[in-house]
């Protein structure tokens, strides 16, 4: 037994040293890129697996259409990034092959299709790896259902918490296992800042800080404390503490839920509650997601790669609505709010008008994208 303990203690020393170095790098800080005012902006298109390439290319078509003037003037460039397929990732045994990662790092923003994560084995999720490699620390997930009075934006911490050491826990076989959750001060401060800045710039006056600080006293305790420190810079915004358990109930409480506006929360709670929120909106297929960092930003649908649709030859009938929502978020991030608004309006119309059954008889992905462009043209 002693040898296991010694090994675990040694590993713990390594982990603390590494995580402290990461915190110090973050604290030293990086100047955030002004994505809205770059003289030249490269948009990487990364198809992924299954229906990913089909819906992502529909997204690219719509973006090219909306940004035609910028492309013509040489201010915006599209770049195809292949190599993020499950075949390639399995072949090289890496969540993101080196050449693909290098190509991603040459872009400013990325539109990414869903990627398959195998059950078991050692292959890390491409999503989690990309968030880490590009330091995409803010996962921004809106949920909007106007008829129910719901207009929420979740700021999920995307780079640490339960995820950063998720595959580096310790175990004493047949006896016990321990995983580690890491909350750094700099990591919390930057996600809190992002949430409060969003609130301030969008006329919101309430931010819910969602933790389980009554139980996770160190990590969530610090998360809450630091969010309140940041909140002090925003006197017009009320910062409220909530526990994650009651918040999951509040989201389905019709009497309460429309009072919430902006949420800031640690990684795993954010992962879970944003699926609940997406379901209230109509399912994970209706949600888009932004992964924002200081140097890069990545936009994606939050549903999976639907390999069965491909196996059954129905890939062309995949619904691109979720990736198009992500495209609208991308447009906003690069300072194209008017184009984003047009796309969102066209989406609302086409979601009603088009018949996306996922099989022959319904509309295809390409027809949906075409209908979006026709609607935009008519505006
Ligand atoms: C998400 C997903 C990912 C996560 C998976 C695919 C690793 O559930 O983006 O919410 O857990 O973050
Ligand atoms: Mg999730």
């Amino acid at each position: 037994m002693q040898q296991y303990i010694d090994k675990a203690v040694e590993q713990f020393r390594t982990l603390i040293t590494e995580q402290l170095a990461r915190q110090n790098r973050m604290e030293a800080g990086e100047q955030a890129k002004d994505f809205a005012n770059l003289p030249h902006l490269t948009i990487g298109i990364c198809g992924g697996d299954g229906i990913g390439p089909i819906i992502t290319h529909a997204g690219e078509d719509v973006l090219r259409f909306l940004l035609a003037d910028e492309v013509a003037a040489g201010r915006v460039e599209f770049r195809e990034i292949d190599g993020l397929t499950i075949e390639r990732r399995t072949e090289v045994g890496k969540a993101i092959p080196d050449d693909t990662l290098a190509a991603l790092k040459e872009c400013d923003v990325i539109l990414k299709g869903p990627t398959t994560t195998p059950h078991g084995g050692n292959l890390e999720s491409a999503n989690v790896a990309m968030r880490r490699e590009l330091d995409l620390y803010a996962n921004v997930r809106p949920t909007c259902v106007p008829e129910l009075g719901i207009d929420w934006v979740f700021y999920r911490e995307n780079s640490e918490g339960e995820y950063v050491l998720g595959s580096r826990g310790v175990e004493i076989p047949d006896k016990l296992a321990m995983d580690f959750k890491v909350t750094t001060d700099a990591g919390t401060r930057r996600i809190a800042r992002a949430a409060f800045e969003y609130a301030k710039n969008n006329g919101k006056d309430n931010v819910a800080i969602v933790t389980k600080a009554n139980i996770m006293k160190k990590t969530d305790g610090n998360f809450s404390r630091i969010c309140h420190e940041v909140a002090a810079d925003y006197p017009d915004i009320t910062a409220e503490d909530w526990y994650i358990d009651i918040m999951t109930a509040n989201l389905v409480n019709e009497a309460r839920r429309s009072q919430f506006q902006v949420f800031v929360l640690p990684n795993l709670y954010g992962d879970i509650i944003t699926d609940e929120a997406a379901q209230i909106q109509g399912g994970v297929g209706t949600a888009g997601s932004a992964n924002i960092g200081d140097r890069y930003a990545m936009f994606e649908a939050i549903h999976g790669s639907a390999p069965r649709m491909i196996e059954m030859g129905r890939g062309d009938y995949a619904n691109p609505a979720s990736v198009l929502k992500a495209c609208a978020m991308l447009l906003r991030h690069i300072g194209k709010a008017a184009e984003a608004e047009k796309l969102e309006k066209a989406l609302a119309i086409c979601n009603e008008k088009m018949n996306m059954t996922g099989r022959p008889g319904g509309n295809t992905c390409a027809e949906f994208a075409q209908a979006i462009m026709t609607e935009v043209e008519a505006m």
Side-chain angles (χ1 to χ4, degrees), residues 115 117 125 127-128 131 139 141 156 158 163 267-268 270-272 274-275 289 291 300-302:
T115 47
T117 305
S125 145
N127 244 350
V128 173
R131 291 170 186 167
N139 187 189
R141 295 184 160 175
R156 165 191 177 193
N158 212 23
Y163 280 62
N267 208 337
L268 184 60
D271 175 45
I272 296 167
T274 54
D275 269 13
S289 159
N291 297 265
E300 59 181 346
I302 76 168

